[in-house]
Amino acid sequence: ILTAITNLSEALNIQTIAEGVEFKSHEALLINCNCDFGQGYLYDASMLIEQLEDKYMPIDILEVGNQ
């Protein structure tokens, strides 16, 4: 199913995002199937947008975005 979805999305020029990536084995499977993005506890716990900005976005990017 994963291969079919990623092949179809590639044919339609649509990027794929897999949710629930919890283990390196999940990540390896997604990479092998050419999935574009993954999200899940392997990378970080869910958080509010403000927490995400504080943790991952440099302050200068945030200031430019608010102008």
Side-chain angles (χ1 to χ4, degrees):
I1 294 173
L2 178 59
T3 302
I5 291 170
T6 54
N7 287 344
L8 178 61
S9 65
E10 188 174 328
L12 296 172
N13 200 29
I14 298 171
Q15 293 182 318
T16 51
I17 303 172
E19 295 186 18
V21 183
E22 296 186 11
F23 304 103
K24 283 288 199 181
S25 59
H26 294 162
E27 181 183 58
L29 179 62
L30 294 168
I31 290 169
N32 191 45
C33 290
N34 296 320
C35 185
D36 297 302
F37 301 98
Q39 65 182 43
Y41 280 100
L42 177 63
Y43 309 110
D44 212 329
S46 48
M47 62 186 72
L48 299 172
I49 187 68
E50 295 82 11
Q51 294 169 309
L52 178 117
E53 290 171 345
D54 289 344
K55 189 169 185 177
Y56 292 108
M57 296 181 72
I59 193 70
D60 56 337
I61 290 176
L62 294 176
E63 289 173 355
V64 169
N66 290 328
Q67 293 180 1

